[in-house]
Amino acid sequence: MNVGLETPILPANEAAVARAARCLAQGGLVAFPTETVYGLGADAANAGSIARIYEAKGRPSFNPLIAHVGDLEAGMRVARFDATAKKLAEAFWPGPLTLVLPRTKDCAVADLATAGLDTIAVRVPAHPVARSILRAFGGPVVAPSANLSGHVSATSAAHVQSDLMGRIDLIVDGGAVNVGVESTIVGCFDAPMLLRPGGLPRGEIERVLGRALLRPAEDADNETGQPLAPGMLASHYAPRTPVRLNAGKVETNEALLAFGPDSVPGMEAASAVMNLSPRGDLAEAAAHLFGYLRALDTQGARAIAVMPVPHHGLGEAINDRLRRAAMGRE
Ligand code: TXA
Ligand code: MG
């Protein structure tokens, strides 16, 4: 649905960054590239703008947002960092890691952005365009992935355009992103917990911590019943076409999402074939994942058959998103 905003798309340059910062300051919604996926940014202190994010995305309002800041110092104004959190921030920021931490007392981020939780998700993105916009704006920017809720995340300005044109105020086009899956989310609770696998492989985090990350038992916190990382809701990453995982062959009228150099029976007759990484490289596969799911979703296939993808390194995040895609939409 187009609500009639103009939504200019500007190539990422100095003028676009300045306009993005002005737009945010005036309460506008700006899509911009981060190294993981495109974000839909709003002034984190402006509850009205944040409400517009939920509206533009059609997102359930209990889903809290990540506050993007320019550096650790800015992060410390909104969240309390214990020794573990500091260690992780120093090792991996700027980069594809989000930390869930207790809010500070004078945290400027609107309650609506944290969905009333007393914790806040914080991250320092590495993409130069995101960093320039944060610098020019000067405060925390909340930014969910710039896609309609329930749809796959946007990894190019064209994806943002196809989901959000007419619903937001500006798109800054910085080309295709390089990581391709969202940030890894770690909750720094009594013991650090992996809330969402993502662009920073679990092993790298565990190496720095010298211990294994816990996984939440289920998607819900047992005590409060509140989702710990509600972005992990079952149908978060679903294309419209059904997705069939671990396909050893292609059935009639299926499209194929391939991985690696091997072929599978029925491949020649597939409605379409896209290979995440013919040489079997997981970083390349992550970068292609959402774009290829979107492309195969437009083929009118009966289903998208997906070849097995290894689980190590970035494969954990890739398999997590594929599993959610296969669960279908609400
Ligand atoms: O790479 C990324 O993280 C991208 C780019 C734009 O930065 N952003 C992104 O945002 O993926 P979003 O809104 O699509 O996902 C944010 C996730 C959700 O799963 C949300 O539930 C979780 O972060 N989250 C936010 N605040 C939280 C909190 N206080 N406790 C637990 N989970 C939280
Ligand atoms: Mg998202």
Side-chain angles (χ1 to χ4, degrees), residues 36 59 63 66 68 119 123 144-145 182-183 185 196 228 230-231:
T36 55
R59 162 174 262 199
N63 219 351
I66 298 172
H68 296 67
T119 54
R123 122 171 166 86
S145 49
E182 301 87 343
S183 59
I185 304 183
R196 177 176 76 180
L228 281 169

Side-chain angles (χ1 to χ4, degrees), residues 35-36 85 87-99 123-124 126 178-186 193-209 213 215 282-283 286 311-318 321:
E35 73 279 24
T36 55
K87 202 174 195 179
L88 292 177
E90 276 159 6
F92 298 114
W93 281 356
L97 172 69
T98 294
L99 297 175
R123 122 171 166 86
V124 177
N178 60 18
V179 177
V181 290
E182 301 87 343
S183 59
T184 301
I185 304 183
V186 172
M193 192 180 266
L194 181 66
L195 297 177
R196 177 176 76 180
L200 179 66
R202 167 213 287 266
E204 292 190 31
I205 300 169
E206 294 181 335
R207 206 168 309 128
V208 165
L209 291 179
L213 291 168
R215 277 312 298 263
L282 288 166
H311 286 257
H312 60 84
L314 284 173
E316 184 175 15
I318 295 170
R321 305 305 188 272

Side-chain angles (χ1 to χ4, degrees), residues 266-289:
M267 196 162 167
E268 331 68 51
S271 326
V273 178
M274 297 187 89
N275 195 321
L276 289 170
S277 173
R279 61 192 160 100
D281 179 83
L282 288 166
E284 184 184 31
H288 289 151
L289 179 66

